């Protein structure tokens, strides 16, 4: 089973525009979609859509629309009741897939609630193969919360501890690497911009996200620097350029033929789900990367934050190239 943890879940509203976004003007939407979201929630949705067992752990009142949406889509979850409503995020999509996102901060949780949420995750993760720590943190959370979670999961494991994947950004992502050996993720899933920040902190020569996205060899070298800092593997998504996977044993680039992009919301989350899906089936690292890119491409071709099932993906269309790590 794969457990996902979303400390700051959301109700994701996607508004499709008929043309480019025009600031300061009145525009009529072509369509509006609404789904339960947040990075971890999206990963669970994608896994369940492909028939894999997953459990989403999140805060939220029983009557909250986010939890109602999970029930409607038959995604198993456990939640920590809170009084405040969960946030709503809005994505504006233009023809061609250009997406503008407006994310609310989310409800603040006090120290007692944070500890209760952590305990709920630990209890729910017993026997899990993977735990995915994903998304932003709500107001009031310490930046190193994910490192603390990883340490607690490992120290509390009755038997083998679950593998831990982290998909976040900014201070929570950087601080996820500050917990020592007990807090280090087994897998990181940054985009190019996030990879540039992590690699710079690991001593890699400064580079922009655009530079890494345009040069997969440089992206692999940057990811290798992060792996040398103690991370098990880095799955770095590079937008339309595909993705690279770097482990201690190798580095690979995966590319997919261009797709007609409809919405990029949740494409990275689907890529992570594809990787975990293949890993759970015993696939080799390069083939885990193959399914990750196939899932990400399929998600980008779907409206809103719709997640693809594995039968909607085209892994045979993905090209894998071995890369140097240095």
């Amino acid at each position: 089973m794969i457990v996902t943890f979303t400390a700051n879940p959301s109700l994701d509203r996607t508004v499709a525009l008929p043309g480019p976004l025009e600031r300061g003007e009145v525009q009529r939407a072509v369509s509006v979609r609404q789904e339960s979201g947040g990075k971890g929630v999206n990963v669970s949705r994608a896994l369940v859509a492909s028939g894999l067992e997953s459990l989403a752990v999140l805060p939220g009142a029983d009557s909250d629309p986010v939890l109602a949406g999970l029930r409607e889509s038959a995604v198993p979850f456990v939640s920590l009741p809170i009084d405040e409503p969960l946030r709503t995020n809005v994505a504006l999509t233009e023809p061609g897939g250009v997406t503008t996102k407006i994310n609310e901060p989310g409800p603040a949780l006090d120290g007692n609630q944070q500890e209760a949420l952590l305990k709920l995750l630990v209890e729910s993760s017993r026997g899990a193969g993977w735990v995915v720590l994903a998304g932003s943190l709500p107001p009031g959370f310490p930046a190193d919360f994910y490192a603390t979670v990883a340490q607690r999961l490992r120290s509390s494991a009755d038997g083998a501890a679950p593998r831990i994947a982290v998909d976040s950004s900014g201070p929570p992502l950087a601080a996820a690497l500050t917990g020592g050996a007990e807090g280090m993720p087994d897998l990181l899933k940054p985009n190019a911009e996030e990879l540039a920040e992590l690699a710079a902190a690991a001593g890699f020569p400064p580079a922009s996200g655009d530079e890494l996205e345009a040069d997969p060899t440089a992206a692999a070298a940057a990811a290798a620097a992060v792996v040398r800092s103690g991370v098990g593997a880095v799955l770095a998504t590079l937008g339309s350029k595909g993705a690279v996977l770097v482990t201690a044993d190798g580095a690979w680039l995966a590319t997919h033929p261009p797709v007609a992009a409809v919405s990029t919301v949740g494409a990275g989350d689907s890529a992570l789900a594809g990787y975990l899906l293949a890993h759970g089936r015993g696939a080799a690292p390069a083939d885990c990367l193959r399914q990750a890119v196939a899932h990400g491409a399929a998600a980008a071709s779907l409206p809103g934050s719709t997640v693809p099932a594995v039968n909607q993906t085209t892994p045979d269309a993905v090209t894998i190239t071995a890369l140097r790590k240095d």
Side-chain angles (χ1 to χ4, degrees):
M1 181 177 68
I2 296 174
V3 173
T4 66
F5 177 67
T6 310
N8 205 13
S10 59
L11 188 66
D12 288 349
R13 288 177 59 84
T14 304
V15 180
L17 300 176
L21 175 65
E22 299 176 14
R23 294 182 61 192
E25 300 296 329
V26 176
Q27 292 177 267
R28 296 186 182 279
V30 173
S31 64
V32 178
R33 296 180 63 91
Q34 182 169 288
E35 285 129 344
S36 299
K39 282 185 170 295
V41 167
N42 290 341
V43 171
S44 278
R45 288 171 53 224
L47 292 171
V48 170
S50 295
L52 204 67
E53 186 179 5
S54 182
L55 177 71
V57 180
L58 68 164
D62 189 62
S63 59
D64 196 279
V66 174
L67 272 59
L70 290 176
R71 292 190 194 94
E72 291 173 7
S73 53
V75 175
F77 69 89
V78 292
S79 61
L80 175 74
I82 61 173
D83 294 330
E84 292 186 63
L86 297 172
R87 61 182 179 152
T88 297
N89 293 341
V90 178
L92 307 175
T93 61
E94 304 171 36
V98 176
T99 302
T100 303
K101 295 190 69 177
I102 304 171
N103 291 350
E104 295 181 5
L109 276 65
D110 62 29
N112 290 334
Q113 291 172 311
Q114 293 173 29
E115 178 62 24
L117 189 59
L118 177 50
K119 287 181 177 178
L120 179 62
L121 174 62
V122 170
E123 293 168 1
S124 302
S125 300
R126 300 193 188 283
W130 281 90
V131 174
V132 178
L133 311 177
S136 63
L137 294 173
F141 274 63
D144 64 352
F145 188 75
Y146 285 147
T148 299
V149 171
Q151 292 169 337
R152 186 78 68 86
L153 285 168
R154 287 172 175 144
S155 65
S156 302
D158 294 332
R163 293 183 175 90
I164 296 170
V166 174
D167 182 3
S168 188
S169 60
L173 176 60
L177 307 187
T178 62
E182 282 298 307
M184 276 292 183
D186 296 285
L187 175 68
L188 281 181
K189 210 285 313 155
N191 60 26
E193 181 178 350
E194 294 156 357
L195 175 60
E197 295 174 0
L198 290 170
F204 187 77
S208 70
D210 288 342
E211 289 171 332
L212 296 185
E213 192 166 296
D215 185 353
T217 301
V226 178
V227 169
R228 286 194 293 272
S229 72
V231 175
V234 174
L235 169 64
T237 51
L238 306 176
S240 62
K241 303 294 184 180
V244 296
L245 174 67
V246 177
T247 71
D249 299 320
W252 302 268
L253 165 70
T255 57
H256 191 285
V259 298
V262 176
S263 170
T264 59
V265 179
D269 308 331
S270 289
L272 178 54
Y275 178 96
L276 296 174
L277 177 68
H279 187 277
R281 294 177 174 175
D287 288 322
C288 293
L289 175 62
R290 181 189 303 277
Q291 190 59 55
V293 169
H295 254 77
S301 70
L302 298 172
S305 55
T306 305
V307 294
V310 67
N311 61 5
Q312 294 175 286
T313 69
T314 52
D316 290 345
V318 176
T319 299
I320 300 291
T321 305
L323 299 175
R324 291 176 56 90
K325 297 188 294 178
D326 47 22

